[in-house]
Amino acid sequence: MARTDAIVLGAGIVGVSAALHLAKRGLAVALVDRRAPGEETSYGNAGIIEGNTYFPYPFPRKISALLKIAFKQAPEANYHLFYLPRLAPWLFAYLRHSSGDAMFEFAERMRPLFAASIAEHESLMREANAERYLRTNGWLKIYRTSRAFDAAKPDLDAIAAAGLAFEPLDLGGSLALEPGLSPVFERGIFWPQAASVSNPLAVTRAYAALFKSLGGIVLTGDARSLHRSDGRWRVDTSEGPVDASNAVIALGPWAPEVLDPLDIRLPLEVKRGYHRHFHAEGNKGLNRPVLDAEVGYAVVPMEQGLRLTTGAEFAHRDAPPTPVQFDRLMPQARALFPLGEPIDAEPWMGRRPCFPDSMPVIGRAPGQAGLWLDYGHAHWGLTLGPVSGRLLAEMMTGDVPFTDPAPYRAERFLA
């Protein structure tokens, strides 16, 4: 095989973006995955590019909310009981990082990535001839009660102070944006500094096609075969072994399978999530993603139909699917929007790779020369894939990084 400068392991939106940015800087890159680009978690997300994100996803604090989750009545969360003992240390760490001063630390450290996320996608979409998938009309968050809207005011005040734009709406203003919704809620917030895509899988495939047009190669292989060989990194593929001086781990929830044998053990856990596509009844439709804040799901117009996405499920990554959250949320979802029959035979399940501080790891792997990390993007893999790929490529090629990469170092977990 011809000279290879870098192997990127993982062909989701994060890995494809990293490989593409490296190829744009003149490196010979091999992108390796067991499946075709975009067919795992990158396929099933809500399609939102969240340039407006400021705080991490909160941990429920109200006793009533915690009790609903505990008794498996909450649409926004589910759990497997036997997994909780293993998960407990991570959950407590997540709780610490999603409250108080830690929320503002997250905001300060992550804002450069979120602020650049839409522009990075727009740039790649122009080059990849994929602009037809992009919507730049924001998204709508609805609140069924004014009480819930008022409870969000402290966070909204902080977001406004940071200069992020949003528009509080009454029922009439919300329905003016989305006339297909039913008036079963009281307030809304329109977030204009967000974009969305109508087909996340197609976007990832378009970026992969652009990568190949720049000379990159896409190979089928097992990332777990990564090892040292004569001072270089080697991975086995269907076309034989591939060697390179640099390797990038962009495997999302599967990264520990490669990193643990290399004595790189970082506190990654998985938030599982589900989606299912539905027809719309009559001539109703949606113009943009809509999040039902109190119930904890999103309904998003996609090329495949209206995609209904659930909140988090805490379970072993490879445990059998348990999409019970659909049973809990469907009555309220149908009351909000006239969803028709499901298009998919069964709900689809994905796995969000999450660190307890809700930030990805981007940069050098500790103690392993030539090994780089780009994973753990939590709920924002689609949002941050291109911008984290750019940052990683700048670091790997010696360019001046567009933002300080220090907050994303793996060593923050090893001190």
Side-chain angles (χ1 to χ4, degrees):
M1 184 168 289
R3 173 186 66 91
T4 304
D5 298 314
I7 303 166
V8 177
L9 298 175
I13 186 64
V14 172
V16 168
S17 297
L20 176 52
H21 274 289
L22 289 169
K24 284 163 62 71
R25 286 161 175 76
L27 273 66
V29 184
L31 178 63
V32 180
D33 202 319
R34 62 185 179 184
R35 301 186 65 176
E39 291 189 354
E40 290 285 0
T41 306
S42 295
Y43 167 72
N45 55 65
I48 304 172
I49 305 171
E50 297 186 51
N52 61 280
T53 293
Y54 192 66
F55 289 130
Y57 276 72
F59 190 96
R61 291 176 183 82
K62 289 185 177 180
I63 295 298
S64 58
L66 290 171
L67 286 174
K68 284 185 69 176
I69 293 172
F71 288 102
K72 292 182 173 285
Q73 297 174 348
E76 66 269 27
N78 189 46
Y79 65 92
H80 289 189
L81 180 61
F82 294 110
Y83 194 68
L84 290 184
R86 169 176 164 172
L87 186 65
W90 185 95
L91 278 176
F92 284 120
Y94 186 88
L95 172 61
R96 292 196 305 273
H97 284 290
S98 63
S99 60
D101 291 342
M103 294 173 59
F104 289 91
E105 292 174 5
F106 170 92
E108 179 182 357
R109 294 168 180 172
M110 290 296 292
R111 187 91 289 271
L113 298 186
F114 286 118
S117 61
I118 295 177
E120 285 298 324
H121 268 288
E122 288 177 330
S123 177
L124 293 185
M125 285 185 182
R126 284 193 296 270
E127 296 179 51
N129 193 29
E131 293 172 286
R132 63 189 180 278
Y133 301 116
L134 182 66
R135 294 182 295 245
T136 56
N137 59 348
W139 67 308
L140 178 65
K141 190 172 185 177
I142 64 108
Y143 295 81
R144 290 176 176 257
T145 64
S146 294
R147 181 179 179 181
F149 178 87
D150 292 340
K153 189 175 185 304
D155 287 355
L156 294 174
D157 289 344
I159 291 168
L164 274 70
F166 60 90
E167 184 179 349
L169 302 170
D170 59 14
L171 176 60
S174 301
L175 294 178
L177 281 179
E178 294 295 345
L181 299 179
S182 300
V184 296
F185 61 99
E186 296 183 5
R187 299 297 303 269
I189 298 177
F190 173 54
W191 297 91
Q193 292 180 326
S196 60
V197 299
S198 60
N199 191 329
L201 174 61
V203 170
T204 305
R205 286 175 171 172
Y207 292 173
L210 176 60
F211 164 70
K212 289 193 285 187
S213 76
L214 296 173
I217 57 173
V218 178
L219 300 171
T220 302
D222 188 344
R224 294 171 297 183
S225 68
L226 183 71
H227 63 282
R228 290 278 194 183
S229 177
D230 296 327
R232 292 165 63 84
W233 291 104
R234 172 173 290 182
V235 66
D236 298 328
T237 78
S238 59
E239 297 188 20
V242 178
D243 293 355
S245 55
N246 291 284
V248 177
I249 306 300
L251 291 162
W254 293 276
E257 294 187 20
V258 176
L259 295 176
D260 284 357
L262 298 174
D263 289 326
I264 301 172
R265 293 179 174 85
L266 305 180
L268 188 80
E269 280 294 345
V270 171
K271 294 182 185 179
R272 305 199 318 178
Y274 300 85
H275 84 230
R276 199 172 190 183
H277 296 109
F278 292 84
H279 294 288
E281 289 186 346
N283 59 355
K284 296 290 182 71
L286 291 176
N287 302 308
R288 56 182 60 77
V290 174
L291 175 69
D292 192 337
E294 290 156 272
V295 184
Y297 68 91
V299 57
V300 186
M302 293 283 184
E303 290 185 349
Q304 299 95 329
L306 289 168
R307 179 175 291 182
L308 202 64
T309 67
T310 70
E313 180 179 67
F314 296 99
H316 189 278
R317 184 194 67 192
D318 299 326
T322 51
V324 296
Q325 287 160 281
F326 279 107
D327 296 333
R328 303 171 193 168
L329 66 84
M330 284 307 301
Q332 297 184 77
R334 291 190 188 278
L336 178 66
F337 186 85
L339 296 169
E341 293 300 312
I343 296 171
D344 312 309
E346 298 290 340
W348 177 92
M349 186 185 78
R351 304 159 178 89
R352 307 177 186 100
C354 304
F355 289 109
D357 61 3
S358 296
M359 299 196 304
V361 166
I362 308 169
R364 293 182 181 275
Q368 295 287 346
L371 189 64
W372 301 81
L373 308 177
D374 188 10
Y375 76 106
H377 292 70
H379 295 261
W380 304 288
L382 174 66
T383 297
L384 299 177
V387 72
S388 65
R390 172 187 167 182
L391 180 60
L392 183 77
E394 288 168 345
M395 297 169 69
M396 290 179 65
T397 58
D399 289 346
V400 176
F402 79 93
T403 189
D404 182 7
Y408 321 119
R409 298 171 69 238
E411 284 82 358
R412 71 183 190 266
F413 297 118
L414 303 176

